[in-house]
Amino acid sequence: MSATPQKNRASRRVLAAAAGLATVGALVAAMPAGAHDRGNGHGHGHGHGHKPRTVDVQLLSFNDLHGNLEPPAGSAGNVSETQPDGTVKAIPAGGVEYLATSLRTARKGSPYSVTAAGGDMVGASPLLSGLFHDEPTIEALNKLKLDVSAVGNHEFDEGATELARLQNGGCHPVEGCYEKGKKFKGADFPYLAANVTKERTGKPLLKPYTVWKKNGVKIGFIGVTLEGTPDIVTANGVKGLKFHDEVKTINKYARELDRKGVKSIVALIHEGGAPASTSYNYDCDSPGAGDGISGPIVDIAKGITPKVDALVTGHTHQAYVCTVPDPAGKPRMVTSASSFGKLYTDTTLTYDLRTKDIVRTSVKSANHVVTRDQPKATDMTSLIERWNKLAAPIANRPQGWISADINGRGSTAPEKPLGNVIADAQLEGLAPADKGGAEVAFMNPGGIRADLVHKASGSEGDGVVTYGEAFTVQPFTNMMNVVDLTGAQLVTALQQQVSGPNEAAPKILQVSKGLTYTLDLTKTGAARVVTDSIKLNGAAIDPARTYRVAMNEFLAGGGDGFPALGQGTNKLVGASDLDLFNAYLAAHSTAAAPLAPPATDRITVVQ
């Protein structure tokens, strides 16, 4: 999910964070791979047939954790499960105390177990992790015994230098060490970025692959992020870097591993798809191999060399265990474990000790819920308590009051109640002439990282919105921009929501009050926006007139596939999105008169 990354700003870093409500899709090995193929007594020096010809390797995986150490609140913390009678049940899931228990339980009885992640472990994180530049999450992943992770787009939110610090350790260059006498030691696992090179040298930014070994078993892991990372991260985050084609990169390093005698290969890809059902237990292959999933990962999977035995994916925050045919036409497992540590995938890879390759016909995989009715891992509880104590003075400060849940991330509608609140906050804060004179505000949907939940997250009481909760919604601390755009450019920007790179998966901007239009989803491309329906405060948009438009710096740079928004002139830089959001909550709510969820009547949707 694309979101607005933050910049490195020394003065703001205490309150900023590339924190992500991303999820950790756990790829964990599921059922045993059935009967072992016993050797015929004369293979590979095993003498008299006493040793098995194959061993089962358990691959546990997850993706898109986004620093969600505590269980995600509200609808963002649920997974959907289809019941035997066809009804769908919401199950509360996630939180590293439970993820640790799930993974440790799953590993029991599996002598060969490896744990891998599909990227976005950090970035767009809640305050508990984001306030400390995601050091708490790296520490938690080390305790989880994560073996390897691909980088995701959010690993670049704070730039290549900060990513290198997360890998190698060392205290933050501006804020120093957070705990007296403790130096941050970095990730125990390698972050892989095979398709990211330095522009100056052409060399890979991080390791392209790693080889996991145990008792003669060798499995290579190649990690890539989506090629389109620069389109969904601020320019500062990807400065000096080049992002390459995922398929060509994986195929190149698969050949290199093969030459080195590594025949078993897993690709970790921070790109994904959308299954036909949002239930984690949907049988993706029920309509026929590959028919149950769409999106970029399908073409990627079809192009990756048959040398690669399984694909662990992410980015779309979806749950799926599918097979997609490789270029030779043979089915190959493609998995994703939702987000925020709510699921893990358990995949059984049957490893042939003689050929050193995976028996692809024996690969089995399933997603499992990280339920909250199991015992908590005590080491994770103490980690959370330790960091919460450091965050408390900032995190627990009340910002406002709400009368009910105001859904953002948890809303599937084009126009989200929380999107309206955020856009209105931006317009109100930047409308005064000396603040930019904004007439309308746009918010990108991917930058809304959570819901505002009425139920108390701590001791603050129901309905109270704390700084920590507001930060979890808007974790990037992007600076706001107000720019001049013509009416024609405004119309083009609205059309870019549903055309060009956003045609297949529309990104519907959240708009401030006063802007109304009709979205006709029965049409295709730019025609989905009914041009003559676009009005600002009841008046039709004048193509020749100049409008003052407020948006965060990510959108103002043309991010998320909105080049028209990047054409603004006469720019004024305002306060951060988080500051405006908190100011709006303070101005529009009291304990006696809390803010109610707003009506969603700005975008009329025809389906």
Side-chain angles (χ1 to χ4, degrees):
M1 297 291 180
S2 69
T4 319
Q6 71 187 40
K7 293 204 175 181
N8 276 326
R9 279 180 298 275
S11 62
R12 302 206 53 79
R13 286 315 295 135
V14 176
L15 301 182
L21 291 189
T23 301
V24 178
L27 275 169
V28 182
M31 324 128 221
H36 284 302
D37 230 339
R38 292 279 163 186
N40 54 12
H42 44 79
H44 228 58
H46 292 322
H48 308 293
H50 296 309
K51 288 194 179 177
R53 162 78 181 268
T54 63
V55 294
D56 282 348
V57 177
Q58 178 189 55
L59 171 63
L60 301 178
S61 56
F62 55 94
N63 49 278
D64 297 275
L65 182 60
H66 291 280
N68 278 256
L69 302 180
E70 295 175 295
S75 58
N78 293 335
V79 293
S80 299
E81 180 182 74
T82 300
Q83 306 301 299
D85 65 359
T87 58
V88 177
K89 180 179 170 187
I91 302 174
V96 293
E97 294 160 297
Y98 303 112
L99 178 61
T101 300
S102 288
L103 294 179
R104 288 164 187 171
T105 304
R107 289 175 189 138
K108 283 177 184 163
S110 294
Y112 296 89
S113 183
V114 56
T115 304
D120 277 7
M121 295 295 99
V122 300
S125 310
L127 188 79
L128 175 61
S129 186
L131 188 63
F132 306 106
H133 295 272
D134 284 312
E135 288 181 23
T137 296
I138 298 295
E139 187 184 332
L141 292 170
N142 289 344
K143 287 180 185 290
L144 280 178
K145 298 282 187 272
L146 182 63
D147 290 296
V148 56
S149 179
V151 294
N153 52 289
H154 282 280
E155 264 82 15
F156 293 93
D157 282 351
E158 293 190 56
T161 306
E162 175 63 4
L163 174 55
R165 187 183 77 87
L166 290 180
Q167 177 73 83
N168 302 320
C171 296
H172 192 269
V174 175
E175 289 167 32
C177 302
Y178 294 111
E179 295 176 289
K180 198 168 180 180
K182 266 194 179 178
K183 185 182 168 188
F184 175 59
K185 67 177 196 148
D188 292 343
F189 56 91
Y191 258 125
L192 305 181
N195 65 331
V196 186
T197 57
K198 299 174 189 172
E199 274 178 358
R200 205 168 47 80
T201 63
K203 292 191 171 146
L205 175 69
L206 296 168
K207 286 173 68 163
Y209 60 79
T210 190
V211 181
W212 179 85
K213 299 174 186 170
K214 185 167 184 184
N215 297 343
V217 172
K218 289 193 293 192
I219 298 179
F221 288 89
I222 303 167
V224 298
T225 185
L226 68 155
E227 187 183 5
T229 291
D231 303 327
I232 51 176
V233 172
T234 53
N236 263 12
V238 294
K239 198 172 176 184
L241 302 177
K242 200 162 180 199
F243 292 76
H244 304 271
D245 181 87
E246 305 94 338
V247 174
K248 286 178 185 168
T249 303
I250 291 168
N251 289 351
K252 169 186 164 183
Y253 287 112
R255 285 193 300 273
E256 190 171 309
L257 282 166
D258 187 59
R259 282 197 305 271
K260 290 182 171 180
V262 179
K263 307 295 182 188
S264 299
I265 303 171
V266 174
L268 309 175
I269 308 171
H270 192 70
E271 178 61 290
S277 162
T278 55
S279 290
Y280 83 91
N281 59 338
Y282 163 64
D283 181 357
C284 203
D285 292 338
S286 53
D291 288 354
I293 185 172
S294 59
I297 199 62
V298 178
D299 284 339
I300 289 172
K302 286 177 177 172
I304 289 174
T305 171
K307 291 180 196 300
V308 174
D309 299 295
L311 314 183
V312 172
T313 73
H315 188 54
T316 57
H317 291 202
Q318 302 294 310
Y320 48 84
V321 172
C322 305
T323 57
V324 177
D326 69 13
K330 297 201 170 116
R332 177 168 53 194
M333 199 62 78
V334 179
T335 66
S336 173
S338 182
S339 62
F340 306 163
K342 293 182 288 190
L343 298 176
Y344 68 90
T345 314
D346 190 338
T347 303
T348 302
L349 302 172
T350 301
Y351 185 92
D352 187 318
L353 293 164
R354 193 165 66 186
T355 65
K356 301 190 183 306
D357 206 349
I358 301 299
V359 183
R360 285 256 296 272
T361 52
S362 298
V363 175
K364 294 182 177 64
S365 190
N367 274 325
H368 300 278
V369 181
V370 176
T371 59
R372 299 184 197 165
D373 57 3
Q374 58 186 321
K376 295 178 178 182
T378 54
D379 58 336
M380 292 300 180
T381 304
S382 59
L383 179 150
I384 288 169
E385 285 171 354
R386 205 178 90 236
W387 287 102
N388 261 334
K389 201 170 170 185
L390 288 173
I394 292 170
N396 298 339
R397 207 184 301 146
Q399 302 298 314
W401 289 263
I402 56 174
S403 64
D405 288 0
I406 304 181
N407 281 349
R409 195 72 177 189
S411 166
T412 54
E415 181 184 349
K416 306 171 193 308
L418 190 50
N420 287 356
V421 173
I422 291 169
D424 288 352
Q426 295 176 353
L427 177 63
E428 183 170 295
L430 300 169
D434 63 335
K435 299 282 194 274
E439 300 168 81
V440 64
F442 291 134
M443 174 64 193
N444 57 309
I448 306 168
R449 303 305 298 188
D451 303 331
L452 276 186
V453 178
H454 185 262
K455 186 173 170 24
S457 59
S459 58
E460 75 275 11
D462 290 352
V464 179
V465 180
T466 64
Y467 184 90
E469 290 165 338
F471 182 98
T472 296
V473 169
Q474 294 259 82
F476 299 110
T477 325
N478 266 310
M479 304 313 288
M480 292 299 299
N481 290 182
V482 186
V483 300
D484 283 349
L485 286 170
T486 65
Q489 288 169 321
L490 273 187
V491 171
T492 300
L494 291 173
Q495 291 171 329
Q496 285 169 349
Q497 302 176 109
V498 289
S499 62
N502 293 331
E503 179 158 5
K507 288 196 176 86
I508 306 304
L509 295 165
Q510 306 300 288
V511 299
S512 55
K513 64 185 175 204
L515 185 73
T516 55
Y517 70 95
T518 298
L519 192 61
D520 187 347
L521 297 179
T522 65
K523 297 196 163 69
T524 56
R528 290 166 171 167
V529 173
V530 181
T531 315
D532 58 12
S533 72
I534 306 171
K535 293 188 168 71
L536 183 59
N537 301 321
I541 294 285
D542 177 354
R545 199 198 127 190
T546 297
Y547 294 84
R548 291 293 283 164
V549 184
M551 64 194 107
N552 59 48
E553 60 193 338
F554 172 64
L555 277 179
D560 259 358
F562 291 99
L565 296 180
Q567 293 165 0
T569 56
N570 194 19
K571 178 168 81 172
L572 183 141
V573 177
S576 77
D577 50 8
L578 180 60
D579 286 347
L580 292 180
F581 184 48
N582 283 330
Y584 186 86
L585 291 170
H588 292 272
S589 68
T590 63
L595 182 70
T600 50
D601 54 5
R602 301 170 191 183
I603 305 171
T604 302
V605 180
V606 178
Q607 285 181 310

